[in-house]
Amino acid sequence: MKIFGIDPGSERTGYGCVEMLGSRHHLVICGAISAPSGATFPEKLQHIHAGLEALLARHRPDAVAIENIFHARNVRSALKLGHARGVALLAASEAGLEVFEYTPAEVKRAVVGYGRAEKPQIQQMTKLLLGLDAVPTPHDAADALAIAICHLHRSTGAIAERSAAEKPASPLKSWRDYRPERLRPARGGGAECRAAAPPSARERGWAACAKAPASVAEATRRRGPASSKK
């Protein structure tokens, strides 16, 4: 499974592609798309879209994971970030890829295990999980790799749960493994509910013990009183 992570930004958009082979994560590519200096805002958006479109066509990932808007310094920054996310989503949609969105807290929990982890902690865990010699740079690329790893962890966990639920029961190999489920009377059930469950060996033994005194008394009555020894 190959996932392409995107950390959107109006000035610099980070990207990172991670492939999972077995239980190991492997780095495919990472970096950042920076707009040329002096470019207008529409030109920056066009540059981000063109760069992501080329990367998706070259590496052909199975899905795209992108960071969701959680907070911004002000309304103007939030609007610019929203435009950058829009062109990233457009590039993924044009490539025919499914897009998954995660908040920063979800990414931190999936990678570090703590929803309020700091950026250096995320970078170090990304380095360890990918087996790199150094922390990925710039930090936008490290964030994009963390987003991709987050989706890998989420998707593999869901697949494992689904396969465990769909796994058929193993056939019995011995009579000792046979555990039939006895019918239990429903709450307030009548005699028909109690009769549905056959008595167990212990219950049959208790019934025999309850009848024993009556049997002994009957046998004594038939024999008559025992004679006392002189």
Side-chain angles (χ1 to χ4, degrees), residues 21-101:
L21 300 175
S23 60
R24 294 183 176 275
H25 304 77
H26 297 274
L27 173 65
V28 178
I29 191 174
C30 70
I33 301 174
S34 300
S37 58
T40 62
F41 187 66
E43 291 173 346
K44 292 178 181 179
L45 296 179
Q46 195 278 333
H47 186 75
I48 293 172
H49 178 270
L52 291 176
E53 187 179 28
L55 288 169
L56 293 174
R58 184 189 311 162
H59 298 286
R60 299 182 179 275
D62 298 309
V64 171
I66 187 170
E67 187 177 49
N68 201 351
I69 295 179
F70 183 68
H71 67 276
R73 291 189 300 271
N74 50 55
V75 177
R76 187 180 182 86
S77 299
L79 289 174
K80 287 186 175 182
L81 181 58
H83 290 310
R85 287 186 75 255
V87 297
L89 294 173
L90 176 62
S93 179
E94 289 177 342
L97 299 173
E98 191 173 3
V99 180
F100 299 88
E101 302 180 38

Side-chain angles (χ1 to χ4, degrees), residues 19 32 98 153:
E19 185 174 12
E98 191 173 3
H153 289 179

Side-chain angles (χ1 to χ4, degrees), residues 113-129:
Y114 177 55
R116 296 184 179 181
E118 301 293 335
K119 278 191 177 292
Q121 294 174 309
I122 300 174
Q123 294 172 355
Q124 288 296 328
M125 283 302 301
T126 302
K127 169 190 169 184
L128 293 175
L129 290 172

